[in-house]
Amino acid sequence: MAFALPDLPYSRDSLAPHISEDTLNFHYGKHHNAYVTNLNNLIEGSDLEKASLEDIIMQSAGDASKAGLFNNAAQVWNHTFYWHSMAPNGGGQPTGKIAELINRDFGSYEDFASEFKAAGATQFGSGWAWLVIKDGKLEIRKTPNAETPITEAGVTALLTMDVWEHAYYLDYQNARPNYMQVFLDQLINWDFANQNLAAAA
Ligand code: MN
């Protein structure tokens, strides 16, 4: 059974004007879809053909001979996680349990936001910024290219922000900081973070 491109959790025009339908047509319809197609081509007839997406990621991580497989599998996972990390009418102050933990582990929402933006801004080239929980404590991570924190023991991903240029170039051109600010203010899905937090407990 080949992998399928997962449905978006909202319509392609529903993040506009913050992220345009045009961006989702390319980013979801072309880039994410291509990772799924490449992954299916790479696993066809291999010993990983029946493995779960997470198992493929774990079994190819750090193995240079499986770099293509890892890159495509991890990008399929990362993008699905990214779509859920945003919501129409999202953004702003966190709510629920994640709000408590942000205050406890970063001091305030403002301190979290500046650290999260710094992770995205200092990821040179393509990659991702993440909010994760490890050993009961929130941490911010950045990863290059397709790298994903789920390969690290004890880490549960809570939210991610794609900082590849394809995530923002049509709407913000080179201005990654403007995209990151809008992600925080208008799009971030705290309900998804709370769901992931509850599942990690
Ligand atoms: Mn992307």
Side-chain angles (χ1 to χ4, degrees):
M1 183 65 190
F3 290 102
L5 179 66
D7 288 337
L8 278 179
Y10 34 72
S11 64
R12 293 188 188 194
D13 61 357
S14 60
L15 301 181
H18 314 299
I19 291 180
S20 63
E21 182 175 10
D22 205 19
T23 289
L24 284 181
N25 283 338
F26 281 96
H27 196 182
Y28 171 73
K30 303 289 186 187
H31 290 280
H32 194 179
N33 192 53
Y35 296 128
V36 172
T37 301
N38 293 342
L39 173 62
N40 285 328
N41 288 337
L42 287 164
I43 60 171
E44 189 178 359
S46 81
D47 55 353
L48 289 170
E49 193 165 12
K50 292 186 169 57
S52 70
L53 183 60
E54 288 78 4
D55 282 347
I56 293 170
I57 293 168
M58 299 307 276
Q59 291 180 34
S60 59
D63 182 343
S65 73
K66 291 180 176 164
L69 183 60
F70 173 80
N71 285 338
N72 285 285
Q75 284 294 77
V76 170
W77 194 96
N78 291 347
H79 280 89
T80 302
F81 198 76
Y82 170 63
W83 305 130
H84 286 87
S85 295
M86 301 185 287
N89 306 309
Q93 294 281 333
T95 54
K97 182 73 174 172
I98 195 74
E100 287 173 37
L101 296 191
I102 281 175
N103 287 332
R104 186 195 69 187
D105 294 338
F106 298 104
S108 68
Y109 168 73
E110 288 70 26
D111 290 320
F112 154 78
S114 65
E115 200 174 319
F116 189 73
K117 284 186 286 185
T122 59
Q123 175 49 49
F124 184 75
S126 297
W128 302 83
W130 302 83
L131 177 64
V132 306
I133 189 162
K134 183 178 186 188
D135 302 329
K137 187 173 185 298
L138 298 183
E139 296 180 21
I140 287 168
R141 299 292 177 85
K142 58 181 176 180
T143 59
N145 302 316
E147 294 289 329
T148 179
I150 67 168
T151 56
E152 186 183 331
V155 168
T156 300
L158 303 178
L159 285 170
T160 195
M161 176 174 65
D162 191 341
V163 296
W164 285 57
E165 278 191 346
H166 66 216
Y168 58 86
Y169 209 84
L170 293 178
D171 298 319
Y172 300 92
Q173 288 74 54
N174 60 313
R176 187 188 289 186
N178 295 358
Y179 155 74
M180 295 193 300
Q181 190 65 51
V182 167
F183 181 92
L184 284 166
D185 292 344
Q186 308 290 344
L187 295 170
I188 199 167
N189 183 354
W190 292 116
D191 292 340
F192 184 58
N194 275 313
Q195 288 167 27
N196 291 323
L197 190 59

